[in-house]
Amino acid sequence: MTNPWKAIYPACQPRLPSALWQRLTEETDDPSRFPARLRAATEAGIPPFLADLAVLEWARHAAREAAAVVAPVRSLALNPTLQLVESGWQGLAALTGRDSASPAPQPGGERLLVWWAPNDGMVRCRPATDEDLLVLKLVVEGIDPQAAAAEGGVPVGAVDQALRRAVARGLLLAPPSRLRRDESMFPLAGVGEEFLVAEVFTLQWHITQACDLHCKHCYDRSSRPPVSLAQGLKILDDLRDFCLVRQVLGQVSFSGGNPLLHPDFFALYRAATERGCNTAILGNPASRHEIERLVAIQPPVFFQVSLEGLPAHNDFIRGAGHFERVLAFLDLLKEFGIYTMVMLTLTRDNLGQVLPLAELLRGKVDLFTFNRLAMVGEGAQLLSVRPEEYRDFLADYLAAATQNSSLGLKDNLFNLLRHQEGLPLFGGCTGYGCGAAFNFLSVLSDGETHACRKFPSPIGNLHEERLATLYDAAAASRYRAGSQACRGCAIRPVCGGCLAVAYGFGLEVTAQRDPYCFLPPGG
């Protein structure tokens, strides 16, 4: 009969002579007492660290057995399978892995964490770090992160990020995101559950109207004062509170105008990082010095710039010399290791330039994609792509994307084509189809808040009301629900068309569907 103890103590068993292993296990009636039996043993051939290794292996077994008790939580909590093992030897954790060439343990105290990780179902074991012990203390003793940050002299975002890292490793359990689609309006008929729940909430923050360009399709050239530093800090505190309650990671995408022209840009950028937010830039080419300052605070998750076609057309839209400045700037961003994105606004005039431009950008940009023109503001003076031509363009783009990894999919209507062809669906414009007032909001420099920046979709003013109030209000819910015409569509959670495009065509965005949709009614 196979000795069942081998499954519990797989690292100990080969380190004992077979006869001794057989006798010791037969003499011990309870597997949990095997470490104590080893500690008391006087027989020759037992490595001095073996009793501690057995304690560690029993802890791994106990964690595996306790996995069944892991259940959803309503607030941040310890993983119930987590154990802290005190060892008199260093290097024991390596012996529990698959590397038979691990060096022999050395005398010296070490604290080891053992737990079952819910994200992958594996039992983990590693030496506890100071950060591990800190976050465990915070949760066990119910210490507020603000208080811990003040005592440690660090920004509260540093504590928030440490807690998130512990959740990602499985040491802590966090409640699920509370940003969830209403399934009565977003049926799961043709998509997966992951497209209903957002893990990140983005504030697209237009901190200034100041801009060093005057593009011919600009959505808004209105005169608005830049956000003040005091107002900005208040918004960032509000964003942190919102994200903590909704159990999501906050991201601030700084925009404008050109956000770097704001006199307090770097102070606002630093403040966002100090509150634990991811940061991104939607702007224009910047200087080396500005990028150095940016990276010294926190590298952005991406820096997005725009091109509107091949050089002549782009410079007609955005100004002489702009195309070459962008190409040089992309090289600068790559030098700093920053993820680069180029966005194009698709019009009738540049439709035929998109794929040639993508070839020029091959290897120069991490992601190139486009938004369809929203005929809003000065963009109303340009011509939209003819709807009857759009399906063929999407097909050509998808084919090109198989050969050019820089070509990204953003427009929701790619999913129409993929659905018709039986291809896997993707998340659409924001990862959740149209994410207006769902996983992002746009805030203008005077606090005016919109469901989407590309068309007038006001839901209130963030200088006057809390973010949670605006998010939960009827106006935001109206945009979040999207068009009633899309309700019966099988791929609604990853599509919903583009509300801004529909608005530009004079349609009622909550009742009529995107004029470019080529699926029959009901999907």
Side-chain angles (χ1 to χ4, degrees):
M1 178 181 294
T2 303
N3 190 329
W5 288 27
K6 290 182 179 180
I8 301 175
Y9 298 104
C12 289
Q13 186 265 332
R15 289 175 169 82
L16 284 172
S18 57
L20 183 56
W21 162 264
Q22 187 71 22
R23 180 164 63 81
L24 290 176
T25 55
E26 289 176 352
E27 291 175 358
T28 311
D29 57 356
D30 182 349
S32 68
R33 300 182 61 184
F34 186 58
R37 176 66 181 87
L38 285 174
R39 205 173 298 281
T42 58
E43 292 89 343
I46 300 178
F49 59 81
L50 203 66
D52 280 19
L53 179 59
V55 170
L56 188 59
E57 291 208 281
W58 178 255
R60 289 174 60 90
H61 170 73
R64 191 176 298 108
E65 293 294 302
V69 308
V70 177
V73 296
R74 294 186 177 183
S75 60
L76 200 62
L78 286 185
N79 182 333
T81 71
L82 180 65
Q83 300 166 75
L84 181 63
V85 177
E86 299 278 357
S87 172
W89 294 82
Q90 295 182 353
L92 285 183
L95 300 187
T96 65
R98 297 181 178 181
D99 184 4
S100 60
S102 299
Q106 298 298 313
E110 190 169 55
R111 289 179 167 181
L112 298 163
L113 294 176
V114 179
W115 73 101
W116 177 80
N119 62 332
D120 61 8
M122 301 292 291
V123 173
R124 303 293 181 192
C125 174
R126 69 179 180 85
T129 65
D130 289 342
E131 180 178 296
D132 294 334
L133 298 175
L134 170 63
V135 297
L136 298 180
K137 176 182 174 68
L138 295 181
V139 173
V140 169
E141 299 182 11
I143 300 172
D144 182 77
Q146 290 273 20
E151 182 177 342
V154 298
V156 67
V159 180
D160 289 344
Q161 289 172 343
L163 290 167
R164 283 198 293 269
R165 285 191 289 269
V167 170
R169 289 192 290 267
L171 299 175
L172 301 178
L173 303 181
S177 164
R178 295 193 173 106
L179 294 189
R180 185 180 180 88
R181 293 287 200 188
D182 182 344
E183 290 183 41
S184 66
M185 293 184 286
F186 293 81
L188 282 171
V191 301
E193 171 88 8
E194 69 273 16
F195 295 119
L196 292 187
V197 184
E199 303 294 338
V200 178
F201 177 79
T202 297
L203 203 65
Q204 188 183 89
W205 197 9
H206 299 260
I207 59 176
T208 180
Q209 291 291 90
C211 190
D212 44 341
L213 302 176
H214 190 142
C215 304
K216 296 185 183 299
H217 61 282
C218 185
Y219 300 125
D220 183 6
R221 296 294 296 184
S222 62
S223 177
R224 301 171 189 265
V227 63
S228 71
L229 182 56
Q231 290 170 327
L233 297 179
K234 182 180 177 183
I235 285 175
L236 291 170
D237 285 336
D238 191 15
L239 174 62
R240 177 177 179 270
D241 290 344
F242 176 87
C243 292
L244 287 175
V245 171
R246 308 298 166 117
Q247 294 295 326
V248 291
L249 172 63
Q251 176 167 307
V252 181
S253 292
F254 287 91
S255 188
N258 182 353
L260 275 75
L261 295 181
H262 190 290
D264 293 313
F265 166 74
F266 286 101
L268 291 170
Y269 187 88
R270 182 181 296 278
T273 69
E274 289 176 344
R275 285 151 181 81
C277 293
N278 281 350
T279 47
I281 308 292
L282 313 174
N284 300 334
S287 69
R288 174 180 289 273
H289 176 65
E290 288 170 319
I291 300 304
E292 287 173 344
R293 291 185 65 185
L294 202 66
V295 171
I297 298 170
Q298 174 176 287
V301 292
F302 65 82
F303 197 122
Q304 178 180 296
V305 290
S306 294
L307 288 173
E308 306 306 337
L310 297 173
H313 181 75
N314 176 81
D315 289 2
F316 169 73
I317 297 292
R318 291 190 167 264
H322 177 263
F323 190 94
E324 290 302 322
R325 288 198 300 275
V326 167
L327 291 191
F329 184 59
L330 293 174
D331 289 339
L332 177 64
L333 293 176
K334 277 190 173 292
E335 182 181 331
F336 282 88
I338 297 173
Y339 190 88
T340 56
M341 295 172 58
V342 168
M343 175 64 69
L344 174 143
T345 298
L346 189 68
T347 68
R348 192 175 303 178
D349 290 332
N350 66 10
L351 181 69
Q353 300 181 38
V354 174
L355 297 183
L357 175 60
E359 284 304 303
L360 286 179
L361 294 176
R362 185 194 289 262
K364 292 181 175 294
V365 66
D366 292 303
L367 186 71
F368 169 56
T369 187
F370 66 88
N371 279 324
R372 281 174 284 153
L373 172 72
M375 293 184 289
V376 176
E378 295 181 4
Q381 308 304 312
L382 301 180
L383 295 174
S384 290
V385 174
R386 295 179 181 88
E388 61 270 19
E389 298 178 352
Y390 195 54
R391 188 185 188 284
D392 288 343
F393 168 75
L394 293 180
D396 291 342
Y397 188 102
L398 280 177
T402 64
Q403 305 299 318
N404 186 343
S405 61
S406 295
L407 278 170
L409 305 185
K410 179 175 174 63
D411 193 309
N412 291 331
L413 299 197
F414 278 115
N415 274 325
L416 275 62
L417 194 61
R418 296 173 76 88
H419 176 62
Q420 289 186 329
E421 297 181 359
L423 298 172
L425 303 178
F426 75 109
C429 182
T430 69
Y432 308 90
C434 175
F438 174 55
N439 65 322
F440 80 90
L441 286 173
S442 292
V443 181
L444 307 188
S445 60
D446 59 0
E448 188 175 290
T449 304
H450 290 254
C452 174
R453 182 67 181 102
K454 295 195 296 177
F455 76 109
S457 48
I459 63 171
N461 192 296
L462 203 51
H463 290 170
E464 301 167 2
E465 297 181 88
R466 298 294 301 273
L467 177 56
T469 302
L470 297 184
Y471 187 90
D472 293 333
S477 297
R478 174 173 170 265
Y479 290 112
R480 187 154 55 243
S483 173
Q484 294 181 14
C486 297
R487 295 285 172 85
C489 182
I491 62 170
R492 173 66 185 94
V494 293
C495 189
C498 178
L499 301 184
V501 169
Y503 179 92
F505 273 79
L507 302 178
E508 169 48 58
V509 299
T510 61
Q512 297 172 282
R513 67 179 186 173
D514 188 321
Y516 288 81
C517 179
F518 48 83
L519 287 185

